[in-house]
Amino acid sequence: VLLQLDPFLNELTSMFERSTEKGSVWVTLKRSSMKSKVKRNKMATAGEEIEYRCLIRATDGKKTISTSVGQKDHQRFQASYATILKARMTALKKRERKDKRKATDADKKPKSSKKQSTAL
């Protein structure tokens, strides 16, 4: 389904809301001229300039939506898209980091090996 920008962003928001408890949303971006290869070749040989657009697809496994963004609307779309992503990435876990001092201290200490001897 090829949507306009605002309905696409609204539907993307609802996809993220539906998948908060369980599931994922995949978003792909691709350069596209929205013309067939034959038409692009004819335009190239005629010397016409081909206008490329950004094709954005989003799916949650059940429903797929898409939109096409031109150069004029790109900045506005990116700002809205970034806002949606920042608001919906609350389920991500923070990465566990090792303390650098503890890691270097542990490397400096020699490992003691205890050999048990059994006397009979």
Side-chain angles (χ1 to χ4, degrees):
V1 179
L2 192 65
L3 300 172
Q4 297 297 321
L5 294 181
D6 292 331
F8 175 82
L9 292 170
N10 293 336
E11 188 63 32
L12 183 65
T13 304
S14 65
M15 267 187 184
F16 277 121
E17 288 173 358
R18 285 192 305 263
S19 66
T20 53
E21 294 298 320
K22 187 176 180 182
S24 300
V25 176
W26 293 274
V27 180
T28 57
L29 290 87
K30 178 181 178 181
R31 185 178 90 154
S32 174
S33 66
M34 304 299 280
K35 299 191 183 325
S36 68
K37 191 172 185 178
V38 174
K39 285 185 180 179
R40 281 196 314 263
N41 289 340
K42 284 182 182 178
M43 290 175 74
T45 57
E48 296 178 39
E49 188 168 324
I50 301 170
E51 179 188 347
Y52 287 101
R53 301 175 63 83
C54 185
L55 179 64
I56 298 137
R57 295 183 186 126
T59 185
D60 61 355
K62 298 175 187 170
K63 186 175 183 180
T64 302
I65 59 173
S66 60
T67 188
S68 179
V69 180
Q71 293 176 355
K72 295 176 185 174
D73 300 327
H74 184 72
Q75 291 293 331
R76 184 177 67 87
F77 176 80
Q78 281 293 87
S80 301
Y81 178 62
T83 305
I84 291 170
L85 286 180
K86 287 176 188 175
R88 300 295 166 199
M89 287 194 184
T90 57
L92 294 177
K93 296 178 184 175
K94 287 200 170 190
R95 190 176 86 186
E96 292 182 18
R97 296 183 181 211
K98 294 181 180 177
D99 189 16
K100 289 182 180 178
R101 285 181 280 158
K102 290 181 183 176
T104 56
D105 290 343
D107 291 340
K108 289 181 182 178
K109 291 182 181 178
K111 294 181 181 179
S112 62
S113 61
K114 295 181 181 178
K115 293 184 181 179
Q116 295 179 354
S117 60
T118 56
L120 296 176

